[in-house]
Amino acid sequence: MKPKKKRTRRIGLLTSGGDCAGLNAVIRAVVRRAVDGHGWDVIGIRKGTHGLLARPVEAEELKPGADDASLLRLGGTILGTTNKGDPFAFPMPDGSVKDRSREIVEGFHALDLDALIGVGGDGSLAILARLAQQGDIPFVGIPKTIDNDVARTERAVGFATAVATATEALDRLQPTAASHDRVMILEVMGRDAGHIAIAAGIAGGADVVLIPEIAWTLEAVSRHVTELRVVGRDFALVVVAEAAHPTGTDADALKQAGGIGHWLAAKLGATTGAETRVTVLGHVQRGGTPLAEDRLLGSLLGVHAVDLIAEGRTGRMVAWSNREVIDVPLEEVVGVPHVVDPNGPLVRTARGLGICLGDETEG
Ligand code: F6P
């Protein structure tokens, strides 16, 4: 006789990787749908996989509250998170690395859970998928990251708020740039992808946008800034993604300068004679009140993740695609980079608007 499939009664929920706006909306949606919709218990695991490594395991039961809508307005994650300590190569105090994945799986089973929902970016989802496979854990992933670099979803939770923050920074930089005839350089996050830079650059009216997906040179950027001056524009707004790298420059030079933003400011000052200033936006992009768009996406994906578990369809990631909530096998996500398409609509639009991308292609 075929063994009877175990009924879901109790699920675990964790947030992993860098925090971002909209995570608490995901938590609220998962808890509401699981508890009120399916009659399950939800156990919130603290600090990502670190909570499962701790003994006793760090976790608490989550319940829907009459005033849980306040979670929609709250940045960060009430569960805590970590972007350190890959459990398969965990850094130990003595400097060695240790595979601690079995301890995490044991931690999961110690909580007597039937399934796990993990909210993470590409790195965290890869780790969680591997743990789930190793520990035979029914798992569903929800994509979140300001970097928007998770494959198979058009949007990850947190991206919209980060783009709005970077755009607002440009709104604030433009008047001071114009008043002082300065070239303002805004360095934004995004890890290896230029999604934040290109989106905010278009929305905020940048003159130059530099992203890791398009090879660019200092000469092309200098030329564009100089040409702006010739037509009477004595200031410029430049957005540079943290991983953007000028052709022919070695990584050490950028590091020594304190990052690409500072490197570019010094070089552009020298090549154009312009006065330059740098703003490294940093973690401001991760915090703050979530935009409606991230609250909405978090709610849509959270509810669908719970329903997938109810249907027994695990080993999947929920996603937003073509105006629909969909779900895809984790194998189609893990290790698949999602960077800016150099021939896609954003790059075409930037070129169409006359934004310099630092390459030789003319708009
Ligand atoms: O992945 C999100 C992100 O904010 C990246 O954009 C950035 O490169 C990185 O995390 C920063 O990490 P940390 O919070 O460890 O400084």
Side-chain angles (χ1 to χ4, degrees):
M1 214 172 81
K2 243 173 117 184
K4 236 176 125 192
K5 200 174 149 284
K6 206 177 152 208
R7 247 189 79 230
T8 304
R9 309 154 293 122
R10 197 172 147 87
I11 63 168
L13 171 65
L14 59 80
T15 50
S16 188
D19 75 311
C20 63
L23 286 175
N24 291 321
V26 177
I27 294 169
R28 172 179 181 261
V30 167
V31 173
R32 281 196 159 218
R33 185 63 181 153
V35 177
D36 293 344
H38 295 285
W40 303 341
D41 295 337
V42 179
I43 306 301
I45 296 157
R46 303 267 318 145
K47 297 186 193 127
T49 48
H50 282 197
L52 294 174
L53 273 177
R55 296 294 179 268
V57 168
E58 287 182 22
E60 65 196 286
E61 185 167 354
L62 301 174
K63 289 188 185 293
D67 61 352
D68 64 8
S70 58
L71 286 175
L72 295 167
R73 304 177 231 295
L74 196 63
T77 160
I78 56 164
L79 288 176
T81 186
T82 180
N83 61 359
K84 304 256 167 340
D86 174 355
F88 293 95
F90 196 89
M92 302 301 285
D94 66 1
S96 63
V97 290
K98 187 178 168 195
D99 182 351
R100 299 188 68 188
S101 55
R102 275 181 63 161
E103 292 170 61
I104 292 190
V105 171
E106 280 162 17
F108 173 85
H109 291 304
L111 290 171
D112 191 24
L113 300 171
D114 303 312
L116 177 68
I117 293 179
V119 195
D122 63 335
S124 319
L125 288 176
I127 288 171
L128 291 168
R130 197 169 158 201
L131 285 168
Q133 200 177 32
Q134 177 176 313
D136 205 14
I137 298 170
F139 173 72
V140 171
I142 300 180
K144 67 86 219 170
T145 165
I146 64 164
D147 307 333
N148 205 33
D149 55 357
V150 180
R152 296 298 317 273
T153 187
E154 284 158 23
R155 288 275 179 277
V157 174
F159 175 64
T161 304
V163 171
T165 303
T167 304
E168 192 195 336
L170 288 171
D171 294 348
R172 290 172 185 271
L173 287 171
Q174 191 274 338
T176 171
S179 304
H180 286 266
D181 294 344
R182 282 173 173 163
V183 175
M184 291 293 190
I185 293 153
L186 178 68
E187 181 186 310
V188 298
M189 282 185 166
R191 211 174 283 273
D192 297 324
H195 294 288
I196 297 176
I198 190 109
I202 292 172
D207 301 293
V208 179
V209 174
L210 304 169
I211 58 174
E213 294 86 348
I214 293 181
W216 58 276
T217 62
L218 176 66
E219 292 68 40
V221 179
S222 307
R223 197 163 51 240
H224 190 76
V225 169
T226 307
E227 280 165 9
L228 285 176
R229 286 233 202 90
V230 172
V231 296
R233 262 281 303 284
D234 289 329
F235 73 93
L237 292 179
V238 179
V239 180
V240 60
E242 62 178 333
H245 191 109
T247 305
T249 307
D250 72 279
D252 281 349
L254 303 189
K255 219 171 159 185
Q256 269 167 25
I260 183 62
H262 288 285
W263 181 91
L264 192 59
K267 294 289 176 186
L268 265 185
T271 54
T272 65
E275 199 178 4
T276 59
R277 291 289 187 272
V278 192
T279 303
V280 180
L281 204 51
H283 293 78
V284 168
Q285 294 156 100
R286 295 229 302 247
T289 305
L291 281 195
E293 207 175 326
D294 280 324
R295 304 180 195 191
L296 198 53
L297 185 61
S299 304
L300 286 160
L301 298 183
V303 166
H304 190 57
V306 172
D307 288 347
L308 274 187
I309 292 176
E311 291 163 20
R313 296 177 59 230
T314 55
R316 304 183 73 77
M317 184 191 79
V318 293
W320 179 250
S321 176
N322 208 11
R323 300 183 181 200
E324 283 288 350
V325 180
I326 62 161
D327 48 86
V328 296
L330 280 164
E331 305 86 75
E332 292 183 16
V333 175
V334 169
V336 181
H338 169 222
V339 294
V340 175
D341 177 358
N343 301 308
L346 286 168
V347 170
R348 278 202 313 275
T349 301
R351 291 197 199 284
L353 290 168
I355 296 174
C356 166
L357 300 175
D359 56 354
E360 301 302 329
T361 313
E362 290 299 316

